[in-house]
Amino acid sequence: MDTLTRQAFAFLDAGMTDRAGDMFRQSIAADPANNAARLGLGIVLIRLGRYDEAVEQLGTVDPEDARFAEASAEAYARQGDHAAEVTALNDAITYHPAAPLALRLKHASALRRAGSFDEAEAVITVLLGIAARDVNLLYEHGMIAMDRGQYEQAADRFRSALALNPDLTEGWVNLCIAAKNSYQPDIAVEAGRRAVQIEPDMVLAHVALGNALRAADRRPE
């Protein structure tokens, strides 16, 4: 990697996104085959919310490099194009010699968001066989059940994640929602209260708790 591109990544890591973008463009102008700079510019465009441009930039080369595929997947996810996100993550896993757990978890999440619940469940089941006590895997397992409308099962899965990380606010929020929808009002209210206690400024936590209290016929609260 040339010095200018390396410096651009340092600026990107420091949060100086516009400056990093300018430097990546300079690197590309000097060497159009500079794939590292093209990757960096794609990441810059994602951070700036210019997702269409990011997808175009990241697609200018096809180096069979997992980094490009994973960055493209993020751009597609921000666009809400989860089918394309799944395809990009499939490529990332194919190109990666030993796809890490985090990348495979992203793949499962993308499959869920794309509505491919059976495939998402299959991926997570395999990953849980590798890391049965991984909180992020357990949480995603709950989200799959939640999105399928299997609320009682989702509540059980969120409880498993929260047993390992009781400070996971999103876990309490989703346990609150799943318990309410599976007619477990006391559990829903307690989960909502825990979420609000951990993160008082999270609007979704207050909404979930309010809905749980209403469902429990505790309207004054």
Side-chain angles (χ1 to χ4, degrees):
M1 187 185 298
D2 66 282
T3 301
L4 182 59
T5 302
R6 188 177 299 108
Q7 290 174 340
F9 274 109
F11 278 107
L12 185 61
D13 290 341
M16 301 174 68
T17 308
D18 290 328
R19 177 65 177 133
D22 291 341
M23 295 173 74
F24 285 130
R25 290 185 181 91
Q26 292 174 39
S27 293
I28 293 167
D31 178 11
N34 187 335
N35 287 342
R38 290 188 178 279
L39 173 64
L41 182 55
I43 294 170
V44 164
L45 291 167
I46 291 170
R47 293 192 182 179
L48 293 175
R50 294 158 60 178
Y51 307 126
D52 291 342
E53 293 176 65
V55 168
E56 182 178 356
Q57 174 62 39
L58 292 165
T60 55
V61 289
D62 183 19
E64 294 195 355
D65 187 324
R67 298 173 303 167
F68 280 84
E70 191 170 355
S72 295
E74 183 177 352
Y76 287 127
R78 300 292 183 87
Q79 287 179 315
D81 188 347
H82 300 303
E85 180 190 4
V86 167
T87 299
L89 287 169
N90 282 336
D91 289 342
I93 290 169
T94 299
Y95 300 152
H96 203 293
L101 193 70
L103 178 58
R104 294 164 72 183
L105 172 58
K106 283 185 181 180
H107 182 220
S109 297
L111 285 165
R112 170 178 58 81
R113 289 191 291 270
S116 300
F117 300 126
D118 289 343
E119 292 178 69
E121 184 84 35
V123 171
I124 285 292
T125 298
V126 170
L127 297 180
L128 285 170
I130 298 169
R133 292 176 60 80
D134 185 289
V135 172
N136 294 322
L137 292 179
L138 291 167
Y139 177 79
E140 179 60 31
H141 204 204
M143 289 304 299
I144 293 169
M146 177 84 95
D147 285 0
R148 297 183 94 156
Q150 299 170 339
Y151 298 116
E152 189 170 355
Q153 189 173 45
D156 289 340
R157 292 175 178 181
F158 289 132
R159 275 195 289 262
S160 295
L162 290 163
L164 296 175
N165 181 5
D167 293 327
L168 183 64
T169 313
E170 293 84 356
W172 289 113
V173 170
N174 283 297
L175 174 56
C176 176
I177 295 168
K180 178 186 77 70
N181 288 338
S182 57
Y183 307 103
Q184 303 177 74
D186 292 340
I187 293 173
V189 170
E190 176 58 26
R193 291 200 188 285
R194 289 292 298 273
V196 168
Q197 182 180 26
I198 295 167
E199 200 162 339
D201 294 332
M202 180 186 279
V203 173
L204 184 58
H206 289 276
V207 172
L209 175 57
N211 287 334
L213 287 164
R214 182 176 58 182
D217 200 26
R218 294 163 63 176
R219 291 175 183 268
E221 294 177 71

